[in-house]
Amino acid sequence: MPMGAAGVTAERQGQVLVLRLASGPSNELDAEVRAALINALSTLDCDRVVLAGSGATFSSAISLEPDRAVPSLADLCAAVETAPVPVIAALQGLVMGPGAELAVAAHARVAAPGTRIAFPEVALGLCPEGGTSLRLPRLIGASAALDLLLSGRAVNAMAAQDMGLVDSLAADPVAAAAMTPIRPVLPPRAAGETLTACAEARRLRSSAQAAAERIIACVEAAALLPPEAHRAFEEVAREDLELSPETRALRSAVLAERRVARLPPAVARLRPVAADAIALHGSAPMLAGLARRALASGMAVHWHHPSDAARQASLAALDHAEAAEVRAGRLTPGDRDAQRARLTEGSAEASAAPVQIHAGPSTPRSLRSDTGQAHLVLGGAEGELGLALAPSLRTCELAVLAEEAPREIGLAVATLRRMGLSSILVGQRPILGQRLMAAGETALAQLARLGVSQRLLAEALGDFGARVPMELPEANAPMRAMPPREIVNRWLAAIANEGFRLLDRGVARRPSDVDCLLVAGYSFPRWQGGPMHQAEERGLMVLRHDLRLWSQEHPVWAPAPLIDRLIQDGLRISDLDG
């Protein structure tokens, strides 16, 4: 069957037809692949079909743009479910999104031990589109299905087997799928059980995201509607969500993360490898956090302290962090002891580590090192690899000058990534997050001085998904009513305006870097995308008009010159992302 060009290959093994997804490393289920699979399933001359992936994964691609091409994913899943012979999914590697929905539509699933299955659409503000909100509850129960669909979390093969999502485990899932027994068609679960699970999910749901409510509604509808009516219900829910501001914001957040993960060409060409050891010099709260993350990732840590008092303070901070992990059950006492065994002190060992992190100015004060080491400096001065950790301890700023010293930059980024820190590259010094947050705080403080009550400010930001980050000053004017939307717009505009200034200075490399840093590092609500995304949604002309109006009250709203230049050149904010 000549289907290789469509991303599907076919192979007969006796009375078994093996259909392999073969469209690159992620095996995307695009319209051409969907059509090829449906065509193969409509002209069968075999006893059973095995669906498998090529390479290391089954199918893990998730489109960030609406896919209205035909046949749809729902068409494919229906064709699998109603095939005249059993269809078994042979799973390995990542099985995500459409790939997971296709697997659920099969009559049985066999998984390799390293398989991970996830339905992450909720993270993009979406609900399933292939009928999974009907099939998954029938397969594993409504409560377990809602847990997977609302969290987007991945489950490993063993956990999937325990919950009934996978029928069996096998080192060679294709061979096992060719022989695995087929369970009887599962009847619908009792409607009362599903409705109870949906009510409980609504009660426990902490997120205000629309996607979560739509997912619950789709699972609920599966217990009340005939299958064809449920398919239409799920399809409408998906289309509504695809057009929602929340989904646009979440899509923007994902794209921002992807851009941040791309290294500059001169660095990427070197294919940097993470170090196995880091050295810490000095005493600072950030160093204790770095030590904790490095030890947890299996690295050796050498720590040189300037004094015994500094040493005691650093180790006390590390003890406190580890004790909290043990109490939370995320770290066993034995693992803690094993990690501590990789911590050494003194200057001799520290001098040999590939990555050196200094609490103060490094020596030499340069990106480059004759020893081939990468010297990172907390804060840093111009010409150094300056480092600043965001409060979340999930991301950091790394100051670089263009693509100077690519080997050192690559070593630093790869090592920080191993420690669980995504690096946002900035120019000059790592002050991006500090300056952005200061602009937002200045705007809120000015509103408080103008008489807007702390209650109004807290409620407005709370409804947006954020919080007032500092103590507010006393009002020096009569109390003033202000609509919540204006409060939020003034706060967002101040942050975005500072973002434009930092872009102009070369501190921020892209508008999406601003958003990524605040979402990942400073608790900006992910489903709102970020301040630059919000500015893009409102439009530059509207933003400039508002800034000019509000700048009469405080210079934090004085429009950045870059805004005027973008408007004059007919450019959008996203055009600066490249």
Side-chain angles (χ1 to χ4, degrees), residues 134 138 217-218 220-234:
L134 182 149
R138 288 186 178 183
C218 285
E220 193 172 54
L224 302 173
L225 300 176
E228 282 304 311
H230 173 268
R231 173 172 169 170
F233 186 93
E234 187 183 74

Side-chain angles (χ1 to χ4, degrees), residues 150 200-210 212-213 216 462 465 527:
L150 293 174
E200 181 67 6
R202 285 194 178 96
R203 186 183 71 81
L204 296 176
R205 185 167 60 91
S206 59
S207 168
Q209 289 181 242
E213 175 53 41
I216 296 171
W527 63 92

